[in-house]
Amino acid sequence: MVKKIKVVHNGIEKEYDVILTYHSDKFDKDYIVYTDNIYNSNNELQIYINEYNSHNSECLVNSILSNDEYNIIKTEVNSILLSMKNEQDKMDNIDTD
């Protein structure tokens, strides 16, 4: 089952699929990575990364204000996603053997 998150942006609420949550020791913050399952013109899945605080099963999402912070988190998340993909590829190879 895919976990969902609702995000309100410019007064419009939209539902997204959560890809992962991540804690950065460097910034001592939690982040959420999510998608609307739309692919860009390069056929890449559009993903979003935001800081979040979870309180009473309500997820409060905040924009990452610093470009430096965003770039560091984006690099770390891309590394995690690549590792997840590699593990999935290994599992797919086991299934086909």
Side-chain angles (χ1 to χ4, degrees):
M1 177 181 225
V2 175
K3 186 173 181 178
K4 303 284 187 177
I5 182 175
K6 291 182 181 177
V7 177
V8 178
H9 183 69
N10 293 331
I12 299 171
E13 182 178 272
K14 188 171 178 182
E15 191 171 77
Y16 296 86
D17 291 343
V18 175
I19 297 172
L20 64 92
T21 56
Y22 167 73
H23 178 80
S24 170
D25 291 332
K26 179 177 179 95
F27 297 105
D28 194 29
K29 294 180 183 177
D30 293 313
Y31 298 89
I32 189 165
V33 181
Y34 55 97
T35 184
D36 53 7
N37 293 305
I38 293 175
Y39 288 81
N40 65 20
S41 59
N42 295 324
N43 203 31
E44 298 168 328
L45 182 64
Q46 187 68 43
I47 65 169
Y48 306 93
I49 304 169
N50 288 99
E51 178 187 342
Y52 85 102
N53 296 303
S54 187
H55 300 285
N56 300 330
S57 74
E58 183 177 318
C59 189
L60 305 172
V61 177
N62 301 308
S63 295
I64 301 172
L65 300 178
S66 158
N67 282 338
D68 289 338
E69 178 184 357
Y70 179 79
N71 289 331
I72 290 168
I73 296 304
K74 181 179 173 185
T75 299
E76 292 175 355
V77 164
N78 282 336
S79 177
I80 293 167
L81 292 173
L82 182 58
S83 293
M84 290 170 63
K85 182 187 179 317
N86 289 340
E87 286 301 314
Q88 183 61 48
D89 289 347
K90 285 179 191 176
M91 294 301 293
D92 289 346
N93 287 335
I94 292 171
D95 291 342
T96 58
D97 289 342

